């Protein structure tokens, strides 16, 4: 699944490659998939996208906003899979869930793996969508200060008991993070996935905040994780420290063997000595 670094990379590449192009034809998928969420019929999508110009794309959390000007915004959210640019004359994939061809002969296709939204809104209405409306500050925004982060932890302490992994991966409490990037964040912070939020010290909360920023920075600079693909079908260059290939291998810090557990709906990889 795409997480914040992959979405930021895709938005940057769209702005470098696709922005300014005029849509000749837009189509929803030729490959039915019950977990792709559309809000338009095929006919509506084709009629509303024809002749529109692609504006400056941007990202919030796990949502990619692509203006189709004038008047519309294409919203791709919570997806995995492939979002690909095809230069003029390139062969298009046989299957896709969304397809835009441009007047210069180039094209954009989206194919999701598990689920995802591919919705077209009148500009402004996309902000009303569930999960976009009321989204908490994402870690790449100025509002995501340490004071904000500390207040988020304090707020969560009063409710049900949560762990560090829950903070990083559940309910988009920190929008844009997911199970993949969370593993390296917890390693950098020296915190075990099950570590209760309720007993984080100030120093541990600070270490966690710094690890979120540092890990995201590294993954964004690397153009996303190396198990996801960018707009040009190239894998990202960010190699996770804590991934399936690390299990049984020595921890880069202390040499202890990396372990794996299943916890909160996904695998966790961690150092049993460094992460408490
Ligand atoms: Zn270690």
């Amino acid at each position: 699944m795409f997480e914040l670094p992959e979405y930021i990379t895709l938005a940057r590449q769209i702005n470098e490659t696709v922005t300014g192009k005029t849509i000749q034809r837009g189509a929803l998928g030729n490959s039915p998939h019950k977990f792709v969420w559309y809000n338009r019929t095929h006919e509506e999508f084709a009629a509303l996208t024809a002749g529109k110009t692609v504006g400056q794309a941007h990202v919030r959390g796990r949502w990619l906003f692509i203006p189709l000007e004038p008047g519309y915004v294409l919203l791709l959210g919570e997806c995995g899979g492939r979002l690909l640019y095809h230069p003029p004359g390139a062969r298009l994939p046989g299957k896709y869930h969304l397809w835009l061809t441009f007047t210069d002969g180039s094209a954009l296709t989206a194919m999701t793996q598990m689920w995802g939204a591919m919705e077209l809104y009148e500009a402004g209405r996309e902000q009303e969508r569930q999960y976009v409306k009321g989204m908490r500050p994402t870690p790449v925004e100025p509002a995501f200060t340490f004071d904000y982060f500390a207040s988020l932890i304090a707020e969560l302490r009063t409710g049900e008991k949560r762990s560090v992994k829950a903070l990083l991966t559940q309910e988009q409490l920190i929008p844009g993070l997911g199970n993949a990037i969370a593993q390296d964040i917890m390693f950098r912070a020296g915190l075990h996935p099950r570590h209760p939020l309720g007993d984080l010290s100030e120093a541990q909360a600070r270490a966690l905040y710094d690890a979120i920023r540092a890990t995201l920075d590294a993954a964004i600079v690397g153009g996303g994780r190396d198990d996801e693909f960018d707009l040009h079908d190239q894998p990202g260059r960010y190699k996770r420290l804590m991934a399936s290939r690390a299990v049984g291998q020595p921890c880069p810090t202390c040499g202890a063997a990396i372990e794996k557990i299943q916890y909160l709906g996904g695998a966790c990889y961690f150092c049993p000595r460094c992460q408490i």
Side-chain angles (χ1 to χ4, degrees):
M1 297 293 284
F2 298 145
E3 298 176 5
L4 193 47
E6 290 75 44
Y7 276 119
I8 287 175
T9 301
L10 289 167
R12 175 175 54 77
Q13 293 177 324
I14 285 172
N15 291 335
E16 291 165 355
T17 311
V18 183
T19 297
K21 291 183 190 274
T22 300
I23 297 171
Q24 186 169 57
R25 194 170 155 228
L28 298 176
N30 68 354
S31 169
H33 188 310
K34 63 181 171 179
F35 296 119
V36 179
W37 308 310
Y38 298 122
N39 67 341
R40 302 285 180 179
T41 64
H42 289 266
E43 294 73 22
E44 277 176 338
F45 189 80
L48 292 173
T49 53
K52 298 290 193 296
T53 300
V54 178
Q56 286 281 325
H58 72 277
V59 171
R60 278 207 77 208
R62 292 196 295 197
W63 296 87
L64 174 60
F65 300 77
I66 307 174
L68 302 184
E69 294 161 347
Y72 286 85
V73 174
L74 179 62
L75 188 58
L76 304 180
E78 311 213 326
C79 300
R82 296 280 205 284
L83 177 62
L84 297 176
Y85 172 72
H86 310 277
R91 262 180 63 169
L92 299 185
K95 290 181 178 177
Y96 53 82
H97 296 133
L98 185 138
W99 175 59
L100 298 174
T101 56
F102 303 107
T103 51
D104 67 355
S106 63
L108 189 73
T109 59
M111 180 81 189
T112 195
Q113 235 160 16
M114 293 171 72
W115 57 76
M118 300 187 182
E119 299 171 347
L120 184 67
Y121 289 94
E122 288 172 48
R125 300 290 293 273
E126 77 284 359
Q127 298 297 331
E128 300 299 313
R129 193 201 189 281
Q130 187 186 16
Y131 305 127
V132 173
K133 187 175 182 175
M135 192 187 301
R136 293 173 186 267
T138 79
V140 292
E141 293 171 11
F144 195 84
T145 60
F146 178 71
D147 283 350
Y148 164 75
F149 184 65
S151 72
L152 174 63
I153 291 174
E155 174 194 328
L156 297 171
R157 270 178 182 158
T158 60
E160 57 176 301
K161 288 193 166 45
R162 294 180 197 255
S163 62
V164 167
K165 181 177 172 182
L167 170 68
L168 298 182
T169 64
Q170 291 193 317
E171 299 167 33
Q172 291 295 283
L173 295 167
I174 303 178
L177 303 185
N179 193 54
I181 198 86
Q183 306 306 313
D184 279 10
I185 291 171
M186 292 184 285
F187 175 70
R188 278 195 172 86
L191 290 169
H192 192 283
R194 295 187 197 273
H195 191 112
L197 270 191
D199 73 359
L200 281 184
S201 68
E202 162 102 17
Q204 285 172 323
R206 174 65 75 172
L208 185 55
Y209 176 80
D210 290 344
I212 291 169
R213 302 291 297 259
T215 307
L216 281 176
D217 280 353
I220 291 166
V221 167
R225 310 196 306 275
D226 67 352
D227 54 357
E228 296 287 354
F229 291 82
D230 70 8
L231 195 70
H232 306 293
D233 211 15
Q234 298 298 309
R237 297 179 308 281
Y238 181 76
K239 217 176 160 79
R240 278 193 292 155
L241 300 166
M242 294 293 131
S244 57
R245 62 183 166 235
V247 176
Q249 299 297 310
C251 165
T253 305
C254 77
I258 300 302
E259 295 183 4
K260 173 185 179 179
I261 53 169
Q262 288 293 334
Y263 174 53
L264 290 183
C268 293
Y269 308 98
F270 63 98
C271 171
R273 200 180 291 165
C274 294
Q275 293 178 246
I276 57 170

